[in-house]
């Protein structure tokens, strides 16, 4: 489709110089374009979340060489609700961040299949949360000096298709043991999670690891329509998982971050999907009141006479489905993602 190959927005921005962008939606951000940036692109995207006491300018300066090695568009967003407050795991922060991501995709020639999220300190806690809550947006997540807290005790399952490269110092308080206890479950399943621990080191920026991180990122590509997928959500707004999207939650399936110490009875929503025999889509869910199936020929042959959709082990559709150009355009505009084109949306529940 031509939609994937249209040039990006016409903003004329100087390359190799960090420029502040203030979109109508989302947060302001600094963007640094590579020397040979072209509106025809596409270029990898590296979004970096600053630590407390670290400015956006300092953050882009730290990651500048790495972005240059990847020929990537480098973006440092104002992701906190208030810059002097800690990250609060709130729905408002997620909405603000996702609006920023969509603006970057629409405005610049970035390759959504090679988008990476990295963060230092409190930015690492946010990278875990923003990355594992929205796993289908990223080719990789890089938390440096943080730990997977709160929702992550359930969301580790969302890393099944999401490469994650964790970096920390052995002596960084309770962070390393907390991280290890959780990601051991990823290791057992064979999820693409790497954990690098610097022995005898406390917190830091670990610039010595940047060369290896650049090499790792150069080899990653996002999985757009995996034949087997799963998603776990316990927060309104954490709804999109590859080709399934939650459209409503049962009351005890979600919780506000401020109530996590009173989480008795929480049963996070779970969704699972797989493609069988190359043409049968099987979907199951728990804890949701609404669920959308996002179809693409990259997932299954929609025009096949034997195409079938099963939900909760019951056949809900059989026969070919036509692509819908309005759906493709609407979803591409909403997300700014022209790599994962949705041809049709089917309501399952």
């Amino acid at each position: 489709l031509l939609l994937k190959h249209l040039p990006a927005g016409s903003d004329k921005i100087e390359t190799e110089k960090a420029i502040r962008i203030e979109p109508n939606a989302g947060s302001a951000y600094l963007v640094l374009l590579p020397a040979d940036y072209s509106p025809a692109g596409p270029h990898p995207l590296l979004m970096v979340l600053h630590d407390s006491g670290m400015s956006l300018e300092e953050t882009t300066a730290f990651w500048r060489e790495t972005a240059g090695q990847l020929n990537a568009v480098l973006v440092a967003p104002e992701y906190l609700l208030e810059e002097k407050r800690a990250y609060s795991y709130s729905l408002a922060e997620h909405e603000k961040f996702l609006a920023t991501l969509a603006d970057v995709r629409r405005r610049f020639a970035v390759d959504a299949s090679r988008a990476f999220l990295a963060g230092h300190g409190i930015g690492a806690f946010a990278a875990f949360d923003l990355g594992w809550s929205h796993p289908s947006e990223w080719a990789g997540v890089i938390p440096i000096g943080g730990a997977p807290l709160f929702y992550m005790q359930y969301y580790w399952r969302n890393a099944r298709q999401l490469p994650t490269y964790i970096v920390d110092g052995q002596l960084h308080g309770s962070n390393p043991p907390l991280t290890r206890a959780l990601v051991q479950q990823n290791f057992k399943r064979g999820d693409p999670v790497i954990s690098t621990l610097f022995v005898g080191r406390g917190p830091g920026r670990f610039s010595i690891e940047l060369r290896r991180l650049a090499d790792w990122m150069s080899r990653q590509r996002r999985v757009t329509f995996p034949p087997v997928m799963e998603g776990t959500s316990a927060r309104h707004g954490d709804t999109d998982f590859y080709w399934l999207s939650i459209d409503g939650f049962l009351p005890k399936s979600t919780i506000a971050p401020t109530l996590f110490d009173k989480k008795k009875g929480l049963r996070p929503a779970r969704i699972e999907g797989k493609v069988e025999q190359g043409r049968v889509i099987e979907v199951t869910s728990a804890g949701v009141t609404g669920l959308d199936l996002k179809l693409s020929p990259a997932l299954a042959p929609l025009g096949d006479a034997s195409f079938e959709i099963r939900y909760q082990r019951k056949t809900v559709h059989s026969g070919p489905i036509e692509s819908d150009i309005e759906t493709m355009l609407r979803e591409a505009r909403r997300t700014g993602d022209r790599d994962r084109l949705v041809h049709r949306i089917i309501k399952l529940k």
Side-chain angles (χ1 to χ4, degrees):
L1 290 172
L2 289 175
L3 185 60
K4 294 185 67 170
H5 304 289
L6 293 175
S10 59
D11 289 32
K12 297 187 182 298
I13 296 183
E14 218 176 313
T15 61
E16 298 190 283
K17 179 180 179 182
I19 303 295
R20 183 178 176 85
I21 303 291
E22 297 186 0
N24 293 328
S27 62
Y29 57 89
L30 286 188
V31 60
L32 180 66
L33 302 180
D36 61 349
Y37 174 80
S38 166
H43 299 268
L45 170 63
L46 177 56
M47 293 191 75
V48 291
L49 307 177
H50 64 83
D51 191 5
S52 57
M54 196 174 181
S55 68
L56 298 186
E57 289 78 9
E58 290 172 320
T59 304
T60 53
F62 179 83
W63 289 100
R64 181 184 188 120
E65 185 176 344
T66 303
Q69 292 170 4
L70 297 168
N71 198 30
V73 172
L74 178 61
V75 171
E78 293 178 346
Y79 66 97
L80 300 174
L81 293 181
E82 295 180 25
E83 287 305 308
K84 292 187 179 180
R85 288 178 54 187
Y87 180 68
S88 63
Y89 296 82
S90 68
L91 173 59
E93 284 165 323
H94 280 244
E95 291 175 337
K96 179 179 179 180
F97 178 79
L98 291 175
T100 301
L101 174 61
D103 185 82
V104 171
R105 286 169 169 170
R106 289 192 287 261
R107 196 181 296 260
F108 301 103
V110 298
D111 182 354
S113 72
R114 293 183 292 161
F116 299 90
L117 179 63
H120 275 100
I122 62 167
F125 289 90
F128 267 121
D129 187 43
L130 293 165
W132 284 9
S133 299
H134 312 284
S136 48
E137 307 300 334
W138 311 104
V141 174
I142 305 167
I144 302 177
L149 303 181
F150 293 97
Y151 296 93
M152 301 309 101
Q153 64 185 271
Y154 305 105
Y155 286 13
W156 63 269
R157 294 181 178 88
N158 296 343
R160 179 172 188 165
Q161 310 281 0
L162 178 60
T164 304
Y165 195 130
I166 304 164
V167 182
D168 208 347
Q170 179 194 22
L171 305 180
H172 192 184
S174 62
N175 285 359
L178 284 171
T179 300
R180 180 176 178 80
L182 191 63
V183 301
Q184 278 292 342
Q185 299 170 94
N186 296 108
F187 296 154
K188 290 176 182 177
R189 296 200 315 176
D191 295 342
V193 175
I194 297 171
S195 182
T196 298
L197 197 64
F198 282 80
V199 177
R201 290 279 302 274
R205 297 186 181 179
F206 303 104
S207 56
I208 193 173
E209 196 70 8
L210 290 180
R211 187 174 296 277
R212 283 185 285 268
L213 285 170
D215 176 68
W216 178 81
M217 283 187 277
S218 71
R219 293 181 278 109
Q220 306 303 323
R221 296 292 184 277
R222 178 182 67 173
V223 179
T224 52
F225 290 94
V228 178
M229 56 79 57
E230 62 182 309
T232 300
S233 179
R235 174 175 45 204
H236 290 283
D238 302 345
T239 56
D240 292 321
F241 299 90
Y242 302 99
W243 40 274
L244 289 173
S245 181
I246 299 171
D247 197 32
F249 295 87
L250 290 175
K252 290 187 177 181
S253 295
T254 61
I255 191 170
T258 53
L259 300 176
F260 239 86
D261 59 344
K262 304 173 183 178
K263 61 180 187 301
K264 296 179 181 178
L266 176 65
R267 295 191 294 270
R270 295 284 303 275
I271 56 175
E272 296 183 5
K274 59 182 176 180
V275 180
E276 298 180 333
Q277 305 168 38
R279 57 176 180 77
V280 179
I281 295 178
E282 184 83 47
V283 177
T284 59
S285 69
V288 305
T289 59
L291 189 64
D292 293 338
L293 169 61
K294 298 184 176 182
L295 294 173
S296 165
L299 178 64
L302 306 185
D304 196 309
S306 59
F307 177 68
E308 187 176 346
I309 301 171
R310 297 174 187 165
Y311 179 55
Q312 306 292 54
R313 298 180 176 82
K314 295 181 180 179
T315 299
V316 296
H317 175 89
S318 59
I321 289 181
E322 292 185 1
S323 298
D324 178 40
I325 188 66
E326 285 191 23
T327 298
M328 283 188 275
L329 292 173
R330 182 177 62 250
E331 287 296 295
R333 176 60 187 170
R334 181 180 67 86
T335 65
D337 188 345
R338 293 183 292 179
D339 174 65
R340 186 178 58 231
L341 295 178
V342 177
H343 287 238
R344 197 70 178 262
I345 298 178
I346 303 293
K347 283 201 169 293
L348 296 179
K349 187 175 181 177

